Amino acid sequence: MARPSPVQLRLQFFFAATALLAPLCASSADAVRDTPYFGALAVDVDLRDAARKIFHVHETIPVKSGSLTLRYPKWIPGEHSPSGTLDNLTGLKITARGKTVEWRRDLVDMFSLNLKVPEDVTQVDLTFDYLSPGEGGKFGQSASATPGLAELEWNQVAFYPAGYAVRQIPVQTSIRIPAGWHFASPLEKSADQDGTIRFAQVSFEQLVDSPLFAGQFYKQIDLAPGAAVPVRLNVFGDRAANLEITPDQIAHHQALVKQAVGLFGAQHYHHYDFLFAVSDRTGSFGLEHHQSSDDRIYADFFTDPELFSFGAGLLPHEYVHSWNGKFRRPAGLATPDYNVPMEGDLLWVYEGLTQYLGNVLTARSGLWNAQQYRDALALTAAQMDHVPGRTWRSLQDTADAAQRLYFEPRAWVSSRRAVDYYPEGELVWLDVDTKIRELSGNKHSLDDFTHAFYGIDNGSMKVTPYRFDDVVATLNAVQAYDWRAFLMQRLNSHEVGAPLDGLARGGWHLTYSETPSAMFKASEKAGKVTDRSYSLGIRVSAGEDKGNVFNVIWGSAAFDAGLIPGMTIIAVNGEEYSSEELDTAIAAAAKTRKPIALLVKNTGSFSTLQVTWFDGQKYPQLTRVDGQPDRLADITAARN
Ligand SMILES: [Zn+2]
């Protein structure tokens, strides 16, 4: 998913929903049998109306007469939330032998439809339209179709019969796409006739795990030339100019594959397809799958070096998930179907370790140089070091509450806390890695853990669940230590500052400079934001709603002056607001030691607030710790 450092960008993409309560959990979980379903479903999707954001669907489901419950996927893998796109279905008709079959929604579980299948009927037909979202929304609820491309997640266009594990339900699929369009998917094409493209039968689980992108402008790049296991980068965009990828960019993505396979020592896919949309007209996020990832980022990603540097960690992150998240999965997230609730308590491993390894691989592959890696890490460290909310909410609680936190408002995030198991998880795993290196005299590292934990059963795609004790045991096998206490302390801490021990053991500490790093500037450009979090304590829009205060850090100078998220800054020291005027005022205040006067608009009322801040500009950076070995350099060096 989800990153002003690539982390934070992803964090912007979280949205809100309502979880249902215990009775549903019990009824849907208890009813799931792990035995084969008695027939194959068929899902046929017509994407030729993608320009109007309407996907037409026909589905057939083999049935037996009597009571039947059909479920629409609710808990979406990788979104860790009950975020199924139920509200986008329209025009649903269920028929059998051409006659209407009446249905009624379950009164508790909105995602379940109950119906009575007539005698001697062996199959029901469903027709409906999926209304692909417009502006706003996150993940699968964000814009996914433009006049030039369509991004299809199968969980949005298919019901499944209740009572069977989804891995036991076979399904056949086909698509139709506009003339002249191309498509890419980890599904294997079996036929292409009269404009209908058919795919080899898979399980319903594998189908939901196999998104499909289609579009007019398309480029496929071989990321593993000559390798036995293919890895392909499939790029789609709204304009041909967005697909101009440099030889260096290709070479670094090829290096990513080599470095990742080396890091884990096994592959858990038969082939891997990055489905990559570079578009400003669809949502921006990453969603992991076993043999692919659904990746969406800025239109100018390949052609704007700043945006490239800032977003370079997206594909490495999602690729790591093939091992960490898909093959090996926390037991609470390895559910038998999409209506059994998920438990997110180990997301600091699932997402936190992925964030750490993804960024390490971004550096090892050359997508970032060592300086860019450190500058991105400085952003993460500073962000997490300004979270007063940690005094009430532990890192563990952010994981426990994940299904809510992806949806929460962004205002006051420093006090609420967000899905901090990504950025703070990265710091914790850096802590683990440097500790292993220190204790073992550099003989061992987290690379040994990744080999032991993920490098098993080469070629297997069978989900292999784990629990907290398995993580501790594997760490102990790599390097004896009280890892349980080490991790528990960090997970349950209410200390004010971020866990920065790993950074120090890596030879670096977090300091602040008067000038922003290139990565910091790139983060502002990508986020269309003027970020003065570490001086005044505010993030202000630099986009169309310029001057709108996105966020105020709890307890900062801006907070003390009365600023709140949602205000608009109209003027700075009597001059019309611009980021330049704001910086002029910060510099002036450092000299005159007079407060900065901000004329603000607060839901229709105007007032002038006085911000007392005399310490000038502060931008995060890492500086060397004297006498400490540069373990960050060792960690990020390419492996042969
Ligand atoms: Zn992730």
Side-chain angles (χ1 to χ4, degrees):
M1 137 280 254
R3 8 167 160 234
S5 78
V7 186
Q8 294 158 304
L9 176 62
R10 230 178 350 259
L11 301 188
Q12 293 174 4
F13 306 135
F14 309 131
F15 43 120
T18 307
L20 295 179
L21 300 175
L24 161 65
C25 317
S27 63
S28 53
D30 292 346
V32 178
R33 277 170 293 166
D34 200 6
T35 53
Y37 193 61
F38 50 82
L41 282 57
V43 178
D44 304 303
V45 181
D46 186 346
L47 295 173
R48 289 175 298 172
D49 237 355
R52 293 202 297 167
K53 301 183 190 292
I54 303 171
F55 301 169
H56 306 291
V57 185
H58 177 217
E59 180 175 12
T60 60
I61 302 177
V63 294
K64 291 176 178 164
S65 57
S67 298
L68 174 68
T69 298
L70 298 179
R71 298 205 198 282
Y72 184 77
K74 174 181 179 182
W75 288 80
I76 308 305
E79 297 185 4
H80 319 309
S81 311
S83 49
T85 50
L86 182 68
D87 302 335
N88 298 333
L89 287 199
T90 185
L92 175 67
K93 297 270 187 214
I94 303 180
T95 58
R97 293 180 172 171
K99 287 190 181 152
T100 298
V101 178
E102 299 295 342
W103 53 268
R104 186 160 185 201
R105 189 181 306 278
D106 190 277
L107 294 183
V108 175
D109 178 6
M110 299 291 105
F111 290 71
S112 290
L113 305 182
N114 297 314
L115 48 139
K116 200 100 181 157
V117 178
E119 286 293 321
D120 300 327
V121 161
T122 57
Q123 167 182 307
V124 291
D125 286 70
L126 285 68
T127 56
F128 57 92
D129 290 327
Y130 176 73
L131 305 177
S132 189
E135 293 278 300
K138 309 301 177 195
F139 295 127
Q141 297 183 343
S142 63
S144 300
T146 77
L149 64 91
E151 297 145 341
L152 176 64
E153 297 179 19
W154 294 95
N155 54 281
Q156 298 176 338
V157 293
F159 286 81
Y160 63 95
Y164 292 83
V166 286
R167 66 177 157 268
Q168 298 280 11
I169 303 173
V171 56
Q172 297 170 349
T173 51
S174 77
I175 57 162
R176 292 171 75 87
I177 56 177
W181 279 31
H182 311 270
F183 76 93
S185 170
L187 292 174
E188 287 169 26
K189 188 171 83 172
S190 61
D192 186 349
Q193 236 178 2
D194 304 326
T196 298
I197 301 151
R198 298 190 183 284
F199 299 99
Q201 180 173 299
V202 292
S203 69
F204 199 92
E205 180 181 53
Q206 198 176 342
L207 181 66
V208 168
D209 197 33
S210 304
L212 182 145
F213 280 19
Q216 182 181 358
F217 299 108
Y218 168 60
K219 193 176 270 185
Q220 185 181 71
I221 295 157
D222 184 355
L223 293 187
V229 182
V231 180
R232 299 171 286 247
L233 176 60
N234 301 280
V235 190
F236 293 84
D238 290 305
R239 296 160 55 217
N242 298 139
L243 308 186
E244 285 174 13
I245 307 168
T246 67
D248 268 1
Q249 288 169 331
I250 292 172
H252 291 141
H253 282 102
Q254 289 171 335
L256 166 65
V257 174
K258 274 199 179 138
Q259 293 294 328
V261 173
L263 173 64
F264 293 108
Q267 285 159 290
H268 302 291
Y269 45 80
H270 302 142
H271 41 76
Y272 190 95
D273 285 275
F274 290 99
L275 306 178
F276 195 26
V278 286
S279 169
D280 294 328
R281 298 172 187 171
T282 64
S284 283
F285 64 89
L287 187 59
E288 62 274 21
H289 296 281
H290 226 125
Q291 302 201 99
S292 67
S293 50
D294 174 340
D295 309 302
R296 314 180 188 185
I297 207 166
Y298 338 104
D300 295 329
F301 175 73
F302 285 112
T303 51
D304 180 327
E306 273 190 293
L307 293 181
F308 184 82
S309 71
F310 185 65
L314 175 66
L315 297 188
H317 177 103
E318 304 307 338
Y319 190 34
V320 166
H321 272 317
S322 178
W323 291 267
N324 182 33
K326 289 299 168 181
F327 172 59
R328 297 230 58 181
R329 196 175 306 174
L333 294 176
T335 50
D337 77 6
Y338 307 118
N339 293 67
V340 173
M342 295 177 179
E343 295 174 0
D345 57 318
L346 285 171
L347 280 168
W348 57 275
V349 186
Y350 182 124
E351 295 293 1
L353 179 54
T354 297
Q355 191 61 29
Y356 177 68
L357 296 175
N359 285 348
V360 165
L361 286 172
T362 307
R364 287 186 187 176
S365 62
L367 287 162
W368 280 341
N369 60 34
Q371 182 72 45
Q372 289 172 314
Y373 174 82
R374 287 197 301 269
D375 287 343
L377 191 55
L379 262 64
T380 299
Q383 182 201 358
M384 287 298 98
D385 210 30
H386 288 76
V387 180
R390 67 177 63 251
T391 57
W392 77 270
R393 170 170 253 168
S394 64
L395 177 62
Q396 181 63 65
D397 187 58
T398 68
D400 294 348
Q403 59 174 283
R404 302 291 306 179
L405 294 186
Y406 281 96
F407 304 96
E408 73 167 3
R410 302 300 297 152
W412 296 126
V413 66
S414 70
S415 181
R416 298 172 186 276
R417 302 203 75 171
V419 288
D420 289 356
Y421 45 83
Y422 290 79
E424 191 160 320
E426 181 180 14
L427 299 174
V428 167
W429 284 101
L430 172 64
D431 209 349
V432 172
D433 196 355
T434 54
K435 191 75 185 169
I436 296 172
R437 289 165 191 263
E438 182 183 68
L439 290 169
S440 68
N442 289 324
K443 274 211 254 37
H444 300 297
S445 72
L446 198 64
D447 289 29
D448 299 303
F449 173 84
T450 55
H451 265 259
F453 208 65
Y454 306 99
I456 53 176
D457 300 335
N458 187 32
S460 170
M461 287 176 56
K462 188 170 184 291
V463 175
T464 307
Y466 64 85
R467 299 180 186 279
F468 179 76
D469 287 351
D470 301 314
V471 176
V472 169
T474 308
L475 283 170
N476 262 311
V478 169
Q479 173 62 52
Y481 190 61
D482 190 354
W483 291 109
R484 176 181 304 280
F486 180 97
L487 292 169
M488 293 291 271
Q489 192 278 326
R490 283 150 184 81
L491 289 167
N492 297 317
S493 169
H494 288 290
E495 287 173 16
V496 175
L500 299 179
D501 290 355
L503 202 54
R505 218 179 288 111
W508 297 82
H509 52 210
L510 174 65
T511 58
Y512 292 87
S513 163
E514 288 180 9
T515 52
S517 65
M519 188 62 77
F520 191 94
K521 284 198 272 192
S523 78
E524 289 187 298
K525 181 175 186 173
K528 295 182 178 151
V529 65
T530 299
D531 187 353
R532 299 296 174 267
S533 291
Y534 310 113
S535 50
L536 305 182
I538 49 174
R539 287 167 59 84
V540 185
S541 172
E544 285 170 14
D545 53 347
K546 188 176 78 170
N548 180 31
V549 178
F550 285 160
N551 246 314
V552 177
I553 290 186
W554 200 270
S556 65
F559 177 91
D560 290 343
L563 270 92
I564 63 169
M567 278 180 172
T568 302
I569 306 176
I570 307 295
V572 185
N573 287 345
E575 299 293 331
E576 184 176 2
Y577 174 82
S578 68
S579 61
E580 292 79 13
E581 286 295 346
L582 190 63
D583 288 339
T584 300
I586 292 171
K591 285 189 184 139
T592 63
R593 304 191 72 76
K594 286 185 183 157
I596 300 166
L598 299 180
L599 173 63
V600 298
K601 182 180 176 188
N602 181 6
T603 51
S605 295
F606 293 82
S607 57
T608 298
L609 304 176
Q610 305 287 338
V611 183
T612 304
W613 176 259
F614 304 145
D615 290 343
Q617 298 284 5
K618 285 181 79 176
Y619 298 102
Q621 63 179 5
L622 299 187
T623 48
R624 284 284 282 128
V625 178
D626 290 339
Q628 186 73 280
D630 185 358
R631 291 197 175 94
L632 283 194
D634 296 341
I635 289 167
T636 55
R639 304 292 191 264
N640 290 322

